[in-house]
Amino acid sequence: MSYQSSASSASVSISPIQQMVASCSGAIITSIFVTPLDVVKIRLQAQKTPFPKGKCFVYCNGLMDHICVCVNGNSRAWYKASNHFNGTVDAFIKIIRQEGIKSLWSGLPPTLVMAVPATVIYFTCYDQLCTALKARMTDHTQEAPLLAGGIARVGSATVISPLELIRTKLQSQKQSYRELTDCIRSAVEAEGWLSLWRGLGPTLLRDVPFSAMYWYNYERAKSFLCQHYNTSEPTIRISFLSGALSGSIAAIVTLPFDVVKTRRQVELGELQAKNLSCQGSTFKCMSRIVAEQGFSGLFVGFLPRLIKVAPACAIMISTYEFGKAFFRSEENGPTDSS
């Protein structure tokens, strides 16, 4: 039996609930490992260029990018650098010594409220869609991950986008839920229901191509490595290497979209926090970046993005595959997952 057919049969041997549990576990573990890197990055960024009140910055927990709004000038806010740091390693040491190790996960709980459900929806939908598409695309099964990855990302991003808007407003204005409801109702009455998905365009511009390329390359790399090591099931090592490689390729190719998305996200966040109308478009944002910095401006942040994305993808997918292998072993007997 070929690897592809064995993988397809394996993917349907566990239930969607078990896939959701596996992806939830992977999401939490990924956040635990990756969040400290972004916390240190933000503290170093705040040291170089202090965040004024109302300024937005992007915070990543390894699963999703979130917009954070600086609500006041309090130096004790978690994103404020309370000491002078001489680089990344020095920042890690000083934060742990002076603020405790828990500070490396500052800002994580609120972002997990959206990141975990989004990841669960994304990974579960991908597996279900990929299995269904492979059953129908009998002559083009290798392209199934490409379609399934893109469609799954559209679904999860569409569900989460209004929640990100709500979170930004809650964070910036300290509104009660009743005041927030009135604010959202007035925005919908003035600009329509689509106003709740205003930040969706730049998100999809980056995330859909990234997801399509990521899953296509991941499945190809996993299949190649399984054949190379003569195994029908991916080990943790195979999943980790495949995830890191495919994540790196997708991150490099979609870097210009990431630059535009981040700039647009910050602009929208600052306007939404002030209840101002959001003018302009993603294309205008891209044109402005090129006009100000040249085409090279679309490729800034290459190394930081690669350092963040590659391990996050590797940890998430290897944990997810391990979880699925665990459930399969419970139902079908032990499997090799070493």
Side-chain angles (χ1 to χ4, degrees):
M1 182 170 65
S2 70
Y3 171 72
Q4 281 188 340
S5 60
S6 70
S8 296
S9 63
S11 66
V12 297
S13 65
I14 65 173
S15 68
I17 297 297
Q18 290 171 324
Q19 291 172 342
M20 291 170 73
V21 172
S23 58
C24 181
S25 303
I28 294 171
I29 291 172
T30 301
S31 295
I32 290 172
F33 277 98
V34 177
T35 296
L37 296 174
D38 218 54
V39 169
V40 169
K41 183 206 76 175
I42 290 169
R43 296 287 287 271
L44 288 169
Q45 182 182 351
Q47 175 178 282
K48 184 177 180 181
T49 308
F51 300 132
K53 182 178 179 180
K55 177 67 177 175
C56 287
F57 62 92
V58 177
Y59 169 87
C60 180
N61 54 24
L63 303 170
M64 292 175 63
D65 292 335
H66 296 278
I67 286 295
C68 289
V69 185
C70 300
V71 294
N72 53 49
N74 186 358
S75 61
R76 292 174 6 183
W78 73 264
Y79 48 80
K80 298 290 185 181
S82 56
N83 294 283
H84 181 75
F85 303 129
N86 298 311
T88 303
V89 175
D90 184 56
F92 268 107
I93 294 172
K94 286 183 177 177
I95 289 172
I96 292 173
R97 281 181 179 173
Q98 300 174 11
E99 303 174 35
I101 196 167
K102 289 183 179 179
S103 295
L104 292 176
W105 289 272
S106 301
L108 177 60
T111 62
L112 280 183
V113 172
M114 285 185 298
V116 171
T119 304
V120 169
I121 294 169
Y122 174 46
F123 275 78
T124 305
C125 286
Y126 168 77
D127 260 345
Q128 295 294 316
L129 282 167
C130 195
T131 301
L133 288 171
K134 282 181 178 179
R136 289 164 174 78
M137 301 168 63
T138 52
D139 297 329
H140 303 279
T141 55
Q142 289 187 341
E143 282 72 40
L146 196 74
L147 288 173
I151 296 170
R153 177 58 76 182
V154 170
S156 62
T158 301
V159 170
I160 294 299
S161 187
L163 298 180
E164 179 76 357
L165 168 64
I166 292 171
R167 177 180 167 275
T168 302
K169 287 187 177 295
L170 276 175
Q171 181 191 30
S172 62
Q173 299 171 13
K174 302 295 183 183
Q175 295 176 324
S176 67
Y177 284 101
R178 183 172 181 178
E179 291 172 330
L180 180 65
T181 302
D182 293 338
C183 177
I184 293 172
R185 185 185 295 115
S186 63
V188 169
E189 289 175 353
E191 303 178 54
W193 283 100
L194 290 179
S195 62
L196 297 180
W197 284 270
R198 179 163 279 121
L200 184 60
T203 298
L204 295 181
L205 181 66
R206 182 198 69 175
D207 290 357
V208 172
F210 178 94
S211 297
M213 280 186 283
Y214 170 77
W215 285 111
Y216 177 78
N217 290 320
Y218 171 74
E219 297 289 358
R220 294 296 296 271
K222 183 175 71 170
S223 178
F224 171 80
L225 290 174
C226 281
Q227 290 175 359
H228 179 75
Y229 290 108
N230 195 27
T231 176
S232 62
E233 290 289 333
T235 62
I236 291 179
R237 187 191 308 115
I238 288 174
S239 299
F240 190 93
L241 291 174
S242 301
L245 177 62
S246 56
S248 298
I249 293 171
I252 292 169
V253 173
T254 60
L255 180 60
F257 299 140
D258 180 65
V259 172
V260 174
K261 185 232 181 186
T262 301
R263 173 79 74 90
R264 184 70 175 147
Q265 236 186 344
V266 169
E267 290 176 353
L268 288 173
E270 292 175 355
L271 290 171
Q272 289 167 351
K274 300 173 184 176
N275 282 331
L276 297 177
S277 178
C278 305
Q279 302 296 328
S281 65
T282 302
F283 178 74
K284 288 182 179 179
C285 180
M286 181 181 291
S287 301
R288 191 164 61 251
I289 292 173
V290 173
E292 292 173 357
Q293 306 172 34
F295 281 101
S296 61
L298 296 175
F299 294 89
V300 297
F302 166 78
L303 191 59
R305 175 161 164 75
L306 197 61
I307 292 172
K308 180 172 65 177
V309 170
C313 288
I315 295 168
M316 179 65 214
I317 196 63
S318 57
T319 309
Y320 179 56
E321 294 282 13
F322 177 81
K324 293 196 296 182
F326 170 79
F327 285 119
R328 285 196 293 268
S329 69
E330 289 293 302
E331 296 183 1
N332 304 323
T335 61
D336 177 23
S337 61
S338 60

